[in-house]
Structures are given as structure tokens and as C-alpha cells.
Amino acid sequence: MDANGSAGASRHRPLVSVHGVCVRFGRRNVLDQVHLAVHPGEIVTLVGLNGAGKSTLVRVILGIIKPFSGTVRRAPDLQIGYSPQHVPRDPIMPMTVRRFLTLGAAASHERLDAVLQEVRANKILNFPLSEISGGEMQRVLLARALLRRPDLLVLDEPLAGVDITSQNELYRLIADIRDRHGCGVLLVSHDLHLVMAATDSVVCLNRHVCCSGKPRDVLRNPEFASLFGHDLSESLAIYQHAHDHRHDALGEPDALTPRANDSH
């Protein structure tokens, strides 16, 4: 096969795939027959209620938890950049952004400046970690993940503690990073409104995979509506915002709705 054929084949091979994974804590099944795959250049979003097993599945993918059964396959020499959901920030023991970014791995000033510029937070390199905002903290976590030059970004609740304006900016930033680097992204989120407009594929988890696929298909799935409620499912299908028209959850104008009847 020629070089172009090899490159094309590699793009179609998953960076990580989970097949029939089961995890038990004592006698309790936390994950049951879970299947999931993330390909290069793809944003896959994992959604589910509290206790659905999302964090457990992330730890399985990271290799922190060994499944009771099933397999996890990772691409050869896969580099994973991980952004955790919570990082304690203690003002009594101040740590700068620079120090936090280099914990466990050295990086030159040029490299730190480059990744912070990429996440649009280069002005806070020497700020105390405890004094930056929630949105800035999420950008720092993303920068730390990017320091590994990852093939796969695993982002656990990257919008935690972030206001709505910053949430939209962060989602656009994640998509920009995917486009620039061609990396895959596995994103865990509770914010279904933004998720449905910003992802390529959705996996709805409730210890098992309730449904998965393109956002539009998942929205129409009865199991999704049963899990999150029909009212929420309908509000995701068409939401209103400050335009002279309405959009569906994928960000596309709803042609069936007369503009004259729209709310602002």
C-alpha cells in the first residue's frame, strides 16, 4: 500500500476502542457490556446521569482501572492528554500556573508560552493558581493536557465552574484544537444543550450504552428521552436564542418555524 493509502487507513483506525467492557465494584456492576471508540479528528461526547459510570469508563480508558471483562485497545504509542474534572486549589499553599503546568514533566518557557497561547491564556503564566477564574483554570488544564502532544484528549467535565459565555468559547476552542492537531477528543459533559451542538458523536451511558450515534439520532432515541425526560429531549431538539430564527440542537436553523413567531 502506498503512503497515502497507509495514512488513510490510519485515520479510519480508532485511537482507542472499548469492547464489551464490564467493571464490578464488589458485587455491583458499574459498567456492563460497554462499547465505545474514538477516531482521529473526532469529538465523542459521553453523557449520562450521576452514577451512570462515566468517570469509571474514563479511568478504564486511561488504564487506571482494569475491567472485570472485555477489552480496551489503544493505538500503538498512543499519547493521551487528560484534563481531570477537579483540581484542588489551596490559597494557603500558593502555586503558580507555571509550576502547575510543569509538575511531573519539565517544559521550556517557549513550550509553556506556546500551549498557553493556543488556549488563549498566555497572560497568566505567573499568576497564582488559586487566583485565576474557573474559565482560566479550565484553559490551564487543557494546556497541561496539550503539553503531551496528545493523539487523544480526554476531557472530564471541561466546563465545570465556567459561566455560559466561557462555556461557548471553550467548546469552540476544543473544536479548533481538534482541527489544528487532528487529535481525537473524548469529552464527558452534563451540559446537553452545548454538547449536542458541538460534538460529532454522542454515547449515552447508564452503566450500559443506552444509545449512541450522531447527535440528531440520539435526540430521537426513546431511551435518551426516557433517561433525561421528554421535556428536556424536546427542548434540546429546538432551542431559542437571541436571533430572528430558531435553531435545532445541532445549531442549524429550524426551517419549519416561522420567524415571525420566534421569541427573543
Side-chain angles (χ1 to χ4, degrees):
M1 183 178 293
D2 61 22
N4 290 334
S6 298
S10 67
R11 283 195 295 269
H12 289 90
R13 286 196 293 265
L15 296 167
V16 64
S17 58
V18 171
H19 300 275
V21 159
C22 299
V23 173
R24 291 181 181 174
F25 293 157
R27 296 183 178 181
R28 187 167 71 99
N29 270 358
V30 180
L31 295 176
D32 185 22
Q33 292 295 320
V34 171
H35 300 267
L36 177 145
V38 184
H39 293 79
E42 179 183 35
I43 298 178
V44 176
T45 301
L46 189 61
V47 300
L49 302 177
N50 289 334
K54 300 186 300 297
S55 294
T56 300
L57 181 55
V58 165
R59 292 187 179 103
V60 168
I61 290 169
L62 294 174
I64 298 170
I65 293 177
K66 184 176 180 180
F68 176 79
S69 61
T71 59
V72 181
R73 297 191 178 100
R74 302 177 185 87
D77 302 317
L78 179 69
Q79 287 291 324
I80 299 178
Y82 172 56
S83 175
Q85 183 174 350
H86 298 295
V87 172
R89 296 189 280 166
D90 189 348
I92 298 175
M93 298 181 65
M95 177 186 295
T96 64
V97 169
R98 179 196 298 272
R99 176 60 179 147
F100 175 73
L101 287 173
T102 55
L103 283 174
S108 67
H109 176 81
E110 290 76 19
R111 178 64 181 150
L112 293 176
D113 188 60
V115 294
L116 283 175
Q117 283 197 41
E118 185 164 12
V119 300
R120 300 160 202 165
N122 54 304
K123 295 181 179 180
I124 63 171
L125 181 60
N126 294 308
F127 281 32
L129 202 66
S130 61
E131 295 181 10
I132 64 177
S133 69
E136 288 170 334
M137 185 65 202
Q138 293 301 333
R139 290 171 188 267
V140 168
L141 289 171
L142 187 54
R144 193 166 191 269
L146 288 173
L147 281 173
R148 296 179 60 86
R149 293 183 169 89
D151 308 300
L152 173 66
L153 275 173
V154 178
L155 310 177
D156 192 355
E157 294 287 356
L159 305 184
V162 178
D163 62 68
I164 187 65
T165 300
S166 296
Q167 287 179 9
N168 281 292
E169 291 174 354
L170 276 168
Y171 262 122
R172 286 195 296 269
L173 177 59
I174 291 166
D176 288 347
I177 289 169
R178 181 272 308 269
D179 294 341
R180 279 195 299 271
H181 297 281
C183 58
V185 180
L186 177 62
L187 191 151
V188 180
S189 181
H190 283 92
D191 196 318
L192 300 179
H193 288 84
L194 286 174
V195 161
M196 291 300 179
T199 190
D200 299 311
S201 180
V202 178
V203 176
C204 183
L205 194 68
N206 189 21
R207 300 189 182 176
H208 67 283
V209 175
C210 300
C211 52
S212 64
K214 298 296 182 184
R216 189 180 300 279
D217 296 330
V218 169
L219 281 172
R220 294 169 176 165
N221 191 293
E223 289 192 69
F224 180 88
S226 175
L227 189 62
F228 289 100
H230 290 276
D231 291 343
L232 178 58
S233 183
E234 290 173 3
S235 74
L236 284 168
I238 297 177
Y239 68 91
Q240 293 177 297
H241 60 172
H243 284 202
D244 63 350
H245 57 281
R246 296 169 71 185
H247 284 241
D248 66 16
L250 307 178
E252 299 174 357
D254 174 31
L256 300 179
T257 304
R259 296 190 178 192
N261 294 334
D262 284 349
S263 300
H264 295 277

